[in-house]
Amino acid sequence: MVSVVIPLYNKEKSIAQTLECVLNQTYKDFEVIVVDDGSKDNSAAIVAQFTDTRIHLIRQENGGVSAARNRGIEEAQGKYVAFLDADDVWKQEHLESIVNLIHQYPQCRAWASCYVNNLNGKEYKIILNKLPFNGSTGVLTNYFEVCSCSHPPVWSSAACIEKSLLQEIGGFPVGVTSGEDLLTWARIAVKTDWAYSMKETAVYMMPATNSFTEKPTRPNDLGDPVCDGLKQLLKSKYSRKKELKHFIGRFYKMKASTNLRYGYRQSTIWECLKSLTYRPFAKETYPILILALMPKFIQKRVFAIHSYDKVARFKDIKRLIVSGLGTK
């Protein structure tokens, strides 16, 4: 049996749709554990209206998404734990695809499918580079290398992990509000390879804050909890440490992009410099560093945290930066 863990906090507008997509799965041997993390709206009441006996609602005081996921892991009865956020959806064959992966790659202890990003009703494919396989499924033997030059291959609502492995790594890091999932997947990657399906069976319902016109939903955590955790992995026996270092540099770049959208000029520059110490030849970091020094009107024109036209984006950056150097 697969245990589906859904952390819930103030998602009354989307939780019903999320639960329906689980109940409509072609694979039926699952339980659903919804952990209401102190919601202040009607989210829990909507879940309680579902009569399917496979759905279990647990309520707890607000402790953050990591605490909610960890509670779900603790309560899970299945050998495998699949995660789904309360505002995302699965296509009907998602669990079936994951279970097929488990059977196909029993040597792995973590499995994930590809996903699409949905922004304002339009779906965008993610970009994946340097995959170590050519078929529809395979094993991410170079997980950190793929992460360093692609969209994140593993995403919270498309991942399934052996419960014992989640317990072995201590679950999700409580108190970390930005990047807690990426740190968790990294901790898993040094323990086991991820098996991967290229079939897009999960949909990330992207918030409007993924554009530069608005601030991100959450600012960066104080300090460097995720990067500190990643650096701890460098002390392990993991053999592909160069790729892990590049991934750390990529995460610093992500922090810089968030700081830039919040208008934190000095911290943006600092995060870029830290990124470049790990990835000095990463060309996508330099535009962020330069933009941090540019007037805000140029930043708003050329910087977008999610861009699906990479070539056009960098041409636009080059043109506007050159013109901006002549402004007062």
Side-chain angles (χ1 to χ4, degrees), residues 108-120:
C108 297
R109 302 174 69 189
W111 307 266
S113 74
C114 195
Y115 60 95
V116 294
N117 294 322
N118 184 302
L119 181 61
N120 298 324

Side-chain angles (χ1 to χ4, degrees), residues 303-319:
F303 186 76
I305 191 65
H306 285 280
S307 174
Y308 297 93
D309 190 354
K310 197 171 183 179
V311 174
R313 175 164 62 96
F314 279 102
K315 285 182 179 179
D316 201 28
I317 288 175
K318 181 178 179 181
R319 176 177 58 81

Side-chain angles (χ1 to χ4, degrees), residues 86-104:
D87 50 2
D88 296 320
V89 295
W90 287 341
K91 297 180 181 180
Q92 282 187 310
E93 66 277 14
H94 175 74
L95 282 181
E96 181 179 354
S97 178
I98 290 294
V99 171
N100 287 339
L101 268 185
I102 293 172
H103 291 156
Q104 190 175 359

